[in-house]
Amino acid sequence: MNFRTGVVSAIAIAAVSLANSAQAQFDNQWVTFSNQTASRMNLAPTQVSSGNDEVDFGIGDLDKNGYPDVVAVRKQPNTSPGKRANILFMNYNGVLTNKTTEFASATDVPGDNGFLTPTNDRDVVVVDVDGDGWLDFVTTVVISFGDPKHISHPRVYRNLGNDVNGNWLGMKFENGRIPQLFVGATPTGGNACGIAAGDLTGDGSPDIYLVDYDNGEPGGQDLGDRLLVNDGNGFFSDQTASRMTAQQTASAFGTAGHIVDLNLDGANDIVRSQNGSVTVIYNNPLNVGHFNLMQNPPTGAAYHVGVGDLNNDGRIDLAMGDDGSDNYTYNTGNDALGRVVWGPSKFYQFLAGGDDGFGNQMVLEDLDGDGWRDVIQTDVDVDIGGCSRRTHIYHNPGGATGAQITLKEERESASNSGWLGAVGPKAGDLTGGYNVATIDIDVDGDLDFILGRCNGTFVWVNDGGQICQQSIGFQGPGDATLSCCGSGLGTGDSSLLSLSRVEPNSFAVLFASLSSTPVALPQTGGTLAAFPAALTLSFPTSPTGTLDLPVPGGFGSFSLYTQFITPNGAGYEMSDCVRLDFQP
């Protein structure tokens, strides 16, 4: 077998995840983080968040330099009308650099200053709203009634892309992209504590779902949740009444929302947390964009919800931040009506101590690169507040695919003086967490995290030490991202070619070329023949819009150029091009 055939055959092998065995003892050093805030962020921690400045993060590579950027929206903590200016951090070679004035102050509203204008922002989502291949972001406000429309409503910041010389132009707030909201015939302000983006109508464009906070609203102005439908060009209209029932959108103290296909019928559903419970609102697959079923998964007093596949069965599970004990439930299949059959509530295992109550936002991501999603759960309640509790990091030890796996909080010892959750952070590093976001800040293939707390915002870098192959760019249209990381590509090494942010349950075509100067697929237009002397293979994508292919090393000394093309609504999108440098 020649090296070309060997490499392509190796890429085509299905991935096999090896689960870490569960450890019953202390000091299971499953993943290690180091606090690198001083060298990774050019603002002081308390300039981002403090006891008087709540923060929430959105992550995405806005300028396409290969490094993920951070959108930080801020407000006075808790149920309050206090406004704050926001911060745009551009990531330059692994350093988060405040570029708010340069790249986020443009606006089409006279007198407004974009991100520098104080707003009462509670949440943000990073998404390509207009389909031009550049990530935009949308913020959402609470308790801003009586303010002008551009202050009291969600705000779309459009990515201006590059100029003719390849210089990135930054973000611009465009007021007309979000419609005036009404209660009956009365104009009112937005009041959404959570915002989710995703295609709910089946046309390939991301829509927006707003989760009503239901606090601080004037009499007779109960907004309820709102569904804002994208016209395909990034302009939204309120179509809630024609697509959803009043019961489905009735929300009290709503805190979070997600758009994801829970029952795998090909139509995205809505998950929200509100008033001590979690609600699933199912999209009708026979009339996509209209909603016909509701369901309440098992919870205690849940006031926040996160989504992700925790047991690698291709189904999205739920994790809940609870006023009592935080918990999670597994998606085990569908009933006769197409609703998910949820497993029993499961609770995290503690080697010492326990849950300190009043959980908040969480992320479900694979922190140690073993193929199993872990959980980070923050603690500052969005309404009541209090900075005396702490963020928890829960390890997923893996197991049989589809099993009811128990996640646990690892720790160095029974004493709070040692590391907690993961090697590195101690109790004092985790107290008072507003919001957490995972980010590969240094683009080394493993996930780091940024934690906004009552006493500052801090960057924790994963010390996993993976070797990542070089991305040479050429991404777009779309936001498909390709990486190849692992122990390397020499004899005895193996890496994982990972494609993410693509259309779920679809296909991806891999182009692999030995050319040292390939003509990669262009950002606009192009044909499949644009990659010369290329081998092509097609692979199915997962229900979560990802694809992982193992690539063993040891085939000799050469480079292989790889890129994917995938469907995107009526069109297509391309990933960046990654060069795989094989060693003997």
Side-chain angles (χ1 to χ4, degrees):
M1 179 183 294
N2 64 40
F3 66 83
R4 173 186 288 183
T5 304
V7 171
V8 174
S9 298
I11 291 176
I13 298 172
V16 177
S17 297
L18 297 178
N20 288 343
S21 60
Q23 301 293 318
Q25 71 275 11
F26 292 109
D27 204 29
N28 176 21
Q29 300 186 24
W30 64 288
V31 67
T32 301
F33 293 93
S34 59
N35 185 347
Q36 296 186 18
T37 309
S39 60
R40 297 288 182 180
M41 190 170 69
N42 80 331
L43 291 182
T46 53
Q47 290 180 282
V48 185
S49 65
S50 69
N52 202 35
D53 302 284
E54 180 183 313
V55 70
D56 194 282
F57 304 113
I59 308 295
D61 185 4
L62 300 175
D63 60 355
K64 293 190 180 181
N65 71 343
Y67 287 83
D69 309 302
V70 176
V71 182
V73 297
R74 309 186 314 147
K75 68 180 295 294
Q76 186 181 30
N78 315 133
T79 303
S80 66
K83 300 176 177 64
R84 300 287 186 268
N86 297 321
I87 301 171
L88 175 63
F89 286 108
M90 301 307 297
N91 187 342
Y92 299 135
N93 296 314
V95 179
L96 300 181
T97 306
N98 178 16
K99 289 290 183 178
T100 312
T101 300
E102 295 88 342
F103 293 129
S105 59
T107 177
D108 62 4
V109 177
D112 186 82
N113 294 302
F115 241 32
L116 296 175
T117 298
T119 49
N120 200 25
D121 287 326
R122 176 72 85 184
D123 200 4
V124 60
V125 61
V126 179
V127 60
D128 181 4
V129 299
D130 56 359
D132 66 351
W134 293 87
L135 288 174
D136 315 296
F137 57 81
V138 188
T139 64
T140 183
V141 300
V142 292
I143 314 178
S144 298
F145 298 96
D147 291 319
K149 189 254 180 182
H150 69 281
I151 300 295
S152 65
H153 281 56
R155 291 162 62 107
V156 174
Y157 288 80
R158 185 173 66 88
N159 196 323
L160 301 177
N162 285 348
D163 64 16
V164 294
N165 296 315
N167 300 309
W168 188 57
L169 298 174
M171 313 298 297
K172 181 181 181 181
F173 165 49
E174 297 183 345
N175 188 35
R177 292 184 176 272
I178 295 291
Q180 171 67 54
L181 298 176
F182 292 85
V183 175
T186 304
T188 188
N191 198 28
C193 192
I195 183 172
D199 181 11
L200 289 171
T201 61
D203 65 355
S205 297
D207 308 300
I208 290 174
Y209 192 78
L210 302 172
V211 183
D212 183 26
Y213 192 36
D214 206 38
N215 276 11
E217 293 172 341
Q221 294 193 35
D222 186 356
L223 280 166
D225 293 357
R226 294 297 174 107
L227 171 56
L228 306 184
V229 173
N230 192 332
D231 70 351
N233 297 305
F235 290 88
F236 296 86
S237 59
D238 186 354
Q239 299 186 23
T240 313
S242 63
R243 295 177 179 272
M244 306 183 74
T245 67
Q247 181 186 13
Q248 290 168 349
T249 60
S251 182
F253 193 59
T255 55
H258 303 276
I259 294 175
V260 66
D261 184 5
L262 286 174
N263 55 5
L264 304 185
D265 63 358
N268 281 327
D269 311 302
I270 297 167
V271 183
R272 73 170 183 223
S273 53
Q274 58 99 25
N275 200 29
S277 67
V278 171
T279 303
V280 175
I281 307 169
Y282 289 99
N283 209 328
N284 184 353
L286 301 179
N287 189 15
V288 175
H290 297 78
F291 297 81
N292 60 344
L293 296 172
M294 290 180 63
Q295 182 188 46
N296 294 112
T299 62
Y303 280 89
H304 222 287
V305 63
V307 298
D309 183 1
L310 290 173
N311 58 1
N312 288 352
D313 63 354
R315 292 182 170 272
I316 301 299
D317 311 305
L318 304 180
M320 274 71 68
D322 199 284
D323 279 1
S325 295
D326 298 335
N327 55 88
Y328 52 102
T329 180
Y330 286 103
N331 180 338
T332 66
N334 298 343
D335 66 14
L337 296 178
R339 300 170 302 186
V340 170
V341 177
W342 298 101
S345 293
K346 290 187 66 66
F347 299 92
Y348 301 101
Q349 178 183 348
F350 296 90
L351 300 178
D355 194 314
D356 43 3
F358 280 69
N360 191 21
Q361 170 263 352
M362 76 286 293
V363 295
L364 285 68
E365 296 288 355
D366 181 8
L367 300 178
D368 57 346
D370 67 349
W372 300 87
R373 290 178 185 263
D374 313 292
V375 175
I376 309 180
Q377 172 85 59
T378 59
D379 60 281
V380 177
D381 186 276
V382 297
D383 183 42
I384 299 173
C387 298
S388 60
R389 299 176 297 275
R390 67 173 173 85
T391 293
H392 292 268
I393 303 173
Y394 297 110
H395 175 208
N396 186 339
T401 299
Q404 298 276 309
I405 300 168
T406 298
L407 279 65
K408 64 171 66 176
E409 183 182 65
E410 308 282 6
R411 56 191 297 157
E412 185 174 359
S413 66
S415 170
N416 282 343
S417 62
W419 60 261
L420 289 171
V423 179
K426 297 185 178 181
D429 300 312
L430 299 170
T431 54
Y434 291 123
N435 193 263
V436 65
T438 51
I439 173 175
D440 185 3
I441 193 170
D442 49 3
V443 195
D444 66 349
D446 48 37
L447 285 178
D448 318 298
F449 68 89
I450 180 169
L451 179 60
R453 299 169 48 210
C454 297
N455 68 339
T457 290
F458 300 89
V459 178
W460 289 86
V461 174
N462 194 321
D463 296 331
Q466 291 194 89
I467 298 172
C468 292
Q469 305 301 304
Q470 181 181 356
S471 172
I472 58 175
F474 311 113
Q475 180 175 315
D479 55 1
T481 300
L482 183 63
S483 66
C484 186
C485 300
S487 58
L489 292 176
T491 300
D493 293 328
S494 65
S495 294
L496 199 63
L497 190 66
S498 297
L499 180 69
S500 60
R501 303 174 73 172
V502 297
E503 188 169 306
N505 297 312
S506 182
F507 66 92
V509 177
L510 168 67
F511 289 80
S513 172
L514 294 171
S515 170
S516 60
T517 56
V519 181
L521 291 165
Q523 293 188 14
T524 57
T527 67
L528 299 185
F531 210 151
L535 296 172
T536 61
L537 294 168
S538 180
F539 302 94
T541 63
S542 77
T544 56
T546 61
L547 171 65
D548 292 324
L549 301 172
V551 185
F555 288 96
S557 181
F558 69 100
S559 294
L560 186 71
Y561 296 83
T562 59
Q563 187 174 24
F564 279 91
I565 182 171
T566 65
N568 183 359
Y572 62 89
E573 60 181 292
M574 283 87 71
S575 75
D576 46 340
C577 181
V578 174
R579 187 183 74 198
L580 310 186
D581 292 323
F582 288 86
Q583 304 296 325

